[in-house]
Amino acid sequence: MSDAPSLPPEPIPGARLFFSLDPAVTHLNHGSFGTVPITVQRAQQRLRDETETNPQRFYTVGLTDRLTHARRFLAAFLGADPEGTALVGNATTGAAVVLQSLGLESGDEVLSTDHGYGAVAFAVERECRRTGAVARTVSVPLTSSDEEIVEIIRTGLRPGRTKLLIVDQITSPTARLFPVEAIVAVAREFGVPVFVDAAHAPGMLPVEVDRIGADFWVGNLHKWAYAPRGTAVLVVAPRWRARIEPLVVSWEQPTGFPLNVEYQATLDYSGWLAAPVGIFTLRNLGVDRVRAHNAALAAYGQRVVGAALGLGPADLLDPGGPTVSMRLLPLPEGVAATFPDALALRQRAADTLNADIFVTPWNDRGWLRLSAQVYNRAEEYDRLAESLPGLIAT
């Protein structure tokens, strides 16, 4: 049951001025693409200007040192070993790197839950087709407790056959916080390596990656940590680092992980180098204050929109954590139950309400995932509550 407050949190003074969002649009889907603060945009543009002023100097004098410096800063923020951390484009890139480095064979299996991200599932299916391994999924009911989640996964593990377990720290389709540290501990009992897809964790949660103990952990910084899009980190446990191979071979291949994964010739590195400015911006606003505001506002939005949809308290699912800045609402039966229908509803909301929302099917039902960020206001969720039932009915 949700603990959504009856009143929204007080806005953080001046926070909206950090962003260049179109004020005519209600932006309630921060979880999908993030929003880059103006300070970070300017830092990235300065780096692009530097590149074009003297491309040869930018790419040949000190670039790897600058990447290493940015990586160390970001790893420290996440509580990760910088020697085992590589900058990558996004969480799905990190998943692809890990999957193709495992050396899967016929008879092996990769185990996931039904809360996983679709593109990661596609990557698993492709690697299994290539190697003869098997992709298997266990179902985790939305109302499962942390203990029940751990037990479901324990039951699904097959020692000797399960070569990788993939779990989400915060699930994308269902905004559920998984007990990843406990899951990793159980998998270790069976000798099964774990890949934690933490796409939404950096910035939203007070993460200590090394404490989780996963073999592989990947997180996007362009969602909740205010980095430019295309910025993520892949953290690899010591015993796996020598086995990690990049998706594309570059001149840093002899150096090994992490530079062999990071360096990709004339890639645009400006986003990665500007990413620390996103952390500075978050700290300037107040990390704890931002997290508390966002979680409380998402809970408020869930309550008012849920009431407008006729949902009772039992329908307002609690994601299981006090700092989760996304909330989930079930849509009426038959609404947005397929991907085409979900995309059509998103587009109707954009066209008729000037509102960007996230709607997705999961387990044969349509769901609305509400995000909250410091640029949002309670009245935006109030307006959605007023207009969404009519939009659904059309």
Side-chain angles (χ1 to χ4, degrees):
M1 184 179 295
S2 173
D3 57 356
S6 57
L7 295 175
E10 289 294 322
I12 297 176
R16 298 189 78 171
L17 300 177
F18 280 70
F19 303 91
S20 56
L21 290 165
D22 183 351
V25 177
T26 301
H27 304 272
L28 300 178
N29 186 24
H30 186 91
S32 285
F33 304 107
T35 303
V36 184
I38 295 170
T39 53
V40 183
Q41 294 179 41
R42 290 173 176 170
Q44 184 177 19
Q45 188 57 52
R46 287 193 295 270
L47 286 159
R48 287 173 171 155
D49 292 342
E50 178 191 343
T51 305
E52 299 310 322
T53 298
N54 192 333
Q56 178 163 313
R57 178 178 178 81
F58 181 86
Y59 282 102
T60 63
V61 180
L63 176 57
T64 56
D65 290 338
R66 295 172 77 174
L67 291 172
T68 299
H69 178 75
R71 178 211 314 145
R72 288 183 177 276
F73 180 89
L74 298 171
F77 174 72
L78 297 169
D81 178 4
E83 302 307 315
T85 302
L87 291 158
V88 292
N90 52 44
T92 50
T93 300
V97 169
V98 170
L99 286 165
Q100 66 113 37
S101 299
L102 283 176
L104 293 173
E105 298 177 348
S106 179
D108 294 342
E109 72 172 26
V110 177
L111 181 66
S112 308
T113 79
D114 59 350
H115 295 253
Y117 188 59
V120 173
F122 289 150
V124 170
E125 292 170 4
R126 185 186 70 173
E127 191 64 16
C128 287
R129 284 196 304 270
R130 191 180 70 83
T131 62
V134 175
R136 194 161 61 86
T137 302
V138 293
S139 177
V140 178
L142 271 175
T143 55
S144 300
S145 66
D146 285 356
E147 293 76 15
E148 289 168 337
I149 292 173
V150 172
E151 189 56 34
I152 289 169
I153 290 174
R154 181 198 298 273
T155 303
L157 295 171
R158 297 177 179 176
R161 291 188 60 184
T162 307
K163 299 301 181 180
L164 185 68
L165 167 64
I166 301 177
V167 292
D168 295 63
Q169 192 158 359
I170 301 174
T171 64
S172 177
T174 56
R176 180 64 164 88
L177 181 66
F178 269 36
V180 290
E181 195 167 343
I183 291 170
V184 168
V186 165
R188 188 178 295 118
E189 295 175 9
F190 290 85
V192 175
V194 180
F195 175 92
V196 174
D197 182 349
H200 288 275
M204 187 195 294
L205 300 180
V207 175
E208 291 288 338
V209 175
D210 286 349
R211 286 189 57 185
I212 294 171
D215 299 83
F216 313 100
W217 185 98
V218 68
N220 290 327
L221 286 102
H222 59 258
K223 291 181 181 289
W224 303 95
Y226 297 157
R229 291 174 197 85
T231 304
V233 292
L234 170 64
V235 183
V236 178
R239 71 188 185 99
W240 291 97
R241 293 171 190 172
R243 294 176 55 177
I244 295 296
E245 292 288 350
L247 299 178
V248 178
V249 174
S250 74
W251 282 102
E252 291 296 332
Q253 180 69 7
T255 307
F257 186 84
L259 270 175
N260 67 337
V261 169
E262 290 175 337
Y263 186 78
Q264 297 293 317
T266 52
L267 188 72
D268 181 358
Y269 298 99
S270 62
W272 294 356
L273 297 178
V277 181
I279 306 301
F280 294 146
T281 303
L282 181 59
R283 287 173 173 165
N284 188 23
L285 287 167
V287 178
D288 292 338
R289 183 167 63 160
V290 167
R291 288 171 176 162
H293 170 275
N294 293 348
L297 187 57
Y300 172 82
Q302 181 193 47
R303 185 184 69 81
V304 296
V305 177
L309 293 175
L311 301 175
D315 298 310
L316 306 184
L317 301 170
D318 187 335
T323 60
V324 174
S325 305
M326 301 186 296
R327 291 282 177 130
L328 194 67
L329 287 166
L331 295 173
E333 291 288 348
V335 174
T338 67
F339 276 107
D341 288 347
L343 291 174
L345 180 56
R346 288 190 218 175
Q347 193 59 51
R348 290 206 309 276
D351 292 342
T352 63
L353 309 180
N354 278 345
D356 288 337
I357 60 175
F358 181 81
V359 180
T360 190
W362 185 78
N363 280 7
D364 300 319
R365 183 163 187 175
W367 300 83
L368 170 66
R369 189 192 71 192
L370 291 174
S371 296
Q373 187 48 267
V374 293
Y375 52 76
N376 289 125
R377 293 290 185 270
E379 54 265 29
E380 295 175 318
Y381 302 91
D382 295 336
R383 288 197 300 268
L384 182 65
E386 293 173 3
S387 55
L388 185 60
L391 184 71
I392 290 174
T394 59

